[in-house]
Amino acid sequence: MTVEYLAEQTKQKRQLIFDLDNTIYLETDFLFRVYNEISKTSVNTNPKIVYEFLKKTFLNEGRNNLFNKLENLFPTESFSVEKSLYIMRNYRCDSCIDTLPWFKEFLSKISNNFIIKIITNGRPQQQINKINSINFYWPKNLIEIVTASSYKAKPNIESFYHLKDAKKFISPIYVGDSLIDKEFCKNLNIEFYDIKRLLNND
């Protein structure tokens, strides 16, 4: 499975739809910027210490209760779960995050009127903020995003039918990275392209 395969499928008039996080870009590129913003709100602690704690804890333990752990470790600070979540859910930067190399390569091989169609789970406004923070090197009017959680999150198939002309798609392919994405495709009876297979070959 290669980038060339995906590009060739577009020439066959097959519709490609993409997941967002860790498919088009690395989610940590966004999250670590958020963690940096949160660390800047510290008063009594060096922001670098706060940032390194957030980054290391996320990498080692995941995101579960991350902001609770932050609040508990730095009791003299004004950190709160609510405040940290507010910063995360409202953070955006203008085209400051790059797409993954495979996606750049893919776009270089397709027609310049290709519409990038995205279906993504997650809080709708946060996902929109991510989109606005990514430099696609592509016209914004040629990017269509459906936030699945505005309807029913993947693997429920409802979000698929909120893409423009979804019922007219020819043998669509969904490009994603997770078991949820795979189940989403199974529920739709469409091809799943596991981007991890491509990335692992790099």
Side-chain angles (χ1 to χ4, degrees), residues 121 154-155 178-185:
N121 277 353
K154 296 178 297 181
S178 69
L179 291 176
I180 288 175
D181 294 334
K182 185 176 183 179
E183 187 176 351
F184 178 62
C185 293

Side-chain angles (χ1 to χ4, degrees), residues 5-131:
Y5 169 78
L6 289 176
E8 182 60 33
Q9 300 316 297
T10 68
K11 296 175 184 176
Q12 304 298 324
K13 306 300 182 184
R14 297 183 69 184
Q15 182 63 59
L16 269 61
I17 308 111
F18 302 89
D19 175 46
L20 180 63
D21 298 327
N22 298 319
T23 295
I24 287 177
Y25 84 112
L26 280 179
E27 189 184 16
T28 51
D29 287 350
F30 180 83
L31 291 178
F32 291 170
R33 286 175 178 271
V34 170
Y35 298 164
N36 188 51
E37 290 300 308
I38 292 172
S39 72
K40 290 178 183 178
T41 66
S42 65
V43 176
N44 303 310
T45 309
N46 187 325
K48 290 183 179 179
I49 294 174
V50 177
Y51 172 74
E52 287 303 322
F53 165 77
L54 287 168
K55 183 177 176 181
K56 183 177 180 179
T57 304
F58 173 82
L59 292 174
N60 292 337
E61 303 173 23
R63 69 188 80 202
N64 286 347
N65 298 316
L66 177 60
F67 298 142
N68 296 86
K69 296 170 185 175
L70 175 69
E71 186 178 8
N72 292 336
L73 188 65
F74 300 98
T76 64
E77 297 292 347
S78 62
F79 298 132
S80 69
V81 173
E82 293 76 16
K83 183 178 178 181
S84 297
L85 285 173
Y86 179 84
I87 293 172
M88 184 176 73
R89 290 169 180 170
N90 291 280
Y91 177 80
R92 60 174 284 183
C93 54
D94 291 326
S95 301
C96 65
I97 296 173
D98 238 344
T99 61
L100 286 165
W102 84 263
F103 193 74
K104 284 184 184 177
E105 183 183 351
F106 168 74
L107 292 181
S108 73
K109 296 178 181 296
I110 59 175
S111 66
N112 58 13
N113 64 350
F114 177 81
I115 298 175
I116 301 172
K117 295 182 180 291
I118 299 168
I119 298 178
T120 175
N121 277 353
R123 292 181 69 89
Q125 188 55 55
Q126 185 174 320
Q127 297 307 97
I128 295 296
N129 289 343
K130 289 175 180 178
I131 290 287

